[in-house]
Amino acid sequence: MRRKKIKDLSNLELVAEYGDIAERGVACSPGPNRKEFKKAIQRRQLLRIELLTRLGEPKESIFKYAWEQEAWADDAKRSSQLHQHLSSWKNGSRQPLTLSVAIQEAIYLLGTFDVIGHRNHYLRHGEGAGSLQEVEKQKAAAREEMRLIRAFIRKYKRPRL
């Protein structure tokens, strides 16, 4: 039996299906069938967006904050720079932020610590700080940010079995 398209669902059917998916805990673990898991996650996201749209929520705010509901978002929030960077991420097609895009953005952000002229490069080398203590604090803060971003990339980039 084929599922109805999300746009064709009545309000009651939409709420019931979203509640059913949330109840089953689709986002818990991929299990043996990764393809089915990805389809279920995508369906859950689309149901959530449609539900919020029908409730009158503007699409801009739905797409902007939808990624924070994902399980991997808590790990991204550990690094203040990564969280800030992902929060300001905007796509011309207004698609939701996915884990693969978040990993690419984290890799880009990590690379900015080596780009001469970028504020992260200055932070990493303690440039622009007044005293020796401030220089050490900046360097320590930069090392901690880099460590947190690397940990995020390592955790989610490795293939899951």
Side-chain angles (χ1 to χ4, degrees):
M1 183 173 114
R2 290 187 50 91
R3 290 186 194 171
K4 284 185 177 178
K5 291 183 179 179
I6 292 176
K7 297 282 183 189
D8 297 338
L9 293 173
S10 70
N11 290 345
L12 290 175
E13 291 172 328
L14 183 68
V15 170
E17 187 172 345
Y18 185 73
D20 183 46
I21 287 176
E23 213 174 274
R24 283 186 282 149
V26 170
C28 292
S29 65
N33 193 345
R34 290 187 65 77
K35 198 172 197 177
E36 288 296 320
F37 174 73
K38 286 181 181 181
K39 283 182 181 179
I41 290 293
Q42 185 179 22
R43 177 89 175 169
R44 182 181 63 113
Q45 289 174 344
L46 292 172
L47 284 167
R48 180 182 175 278
I49 290 167
E50 182 65 24
L51 185 62
L52 289 173
T53 303
R54 288 186 188 182
L55 290 173
E57 189 73 27
K59 284 206 177 207
E60 301 84 43
S61 68
I62 294 170
F63 288 126
K64 186 174 180 184
Y65 299 107
W67 72 274
E68 292 183 351
Q69 304 298 320
E70 299 298 328
W72 52 266
D74 288 334
D75 291 329
K77 290 177 188 176
R78 290 183 183 161
S79 166
S80 61
Q81 285 195 6
L82 182 58
H83 181 250
Q84 183 180 29
H85 187 75
L86 293 177
S87 293
S88 65
W89 182 83
K90 291 182 181 172
N91 190 349
S93 62
R94 299 270 189 215
Q95 293 189 4
L97 183 63
T98 61
L99 178 58
S100 61
V101 172
I103 291 170
Q104 291 172 356
E105 292 297 316
I107 292 170
Y108 164 76
L109 187 62
L110 190 60
T112 61
F113 285 94
D114 294 326
V115 175
I116 296 173
H118 196 279
R119 66 181 176 92
N120 285 341
H121 178 76
Y122 296 135
L123 180 69
R124 180 179 181 193
H125 295 286
E127 297 175 17
S131 67
L132 188 58
Q133 288 179 335
E134 288 179 24
V135 168
E136 292 303 318
K137 283 182 182 179
Q138 278 188 355
K139 287 181 178 180
R143 282 192 304 269
E144 181 64 15
E145 285 294 321
M146 290 172 68
R147 184 188 70 75
L148 291 170
I149 294 169
R150 276 191 210 111
F152 176 78
I153 294 168
R154 266 194 313 271
K155 182 175 182 178
Y156 292 103
K157 190 167 182 172
R158 96 176 76 144
R160 303 279 184 211
L161 298 177

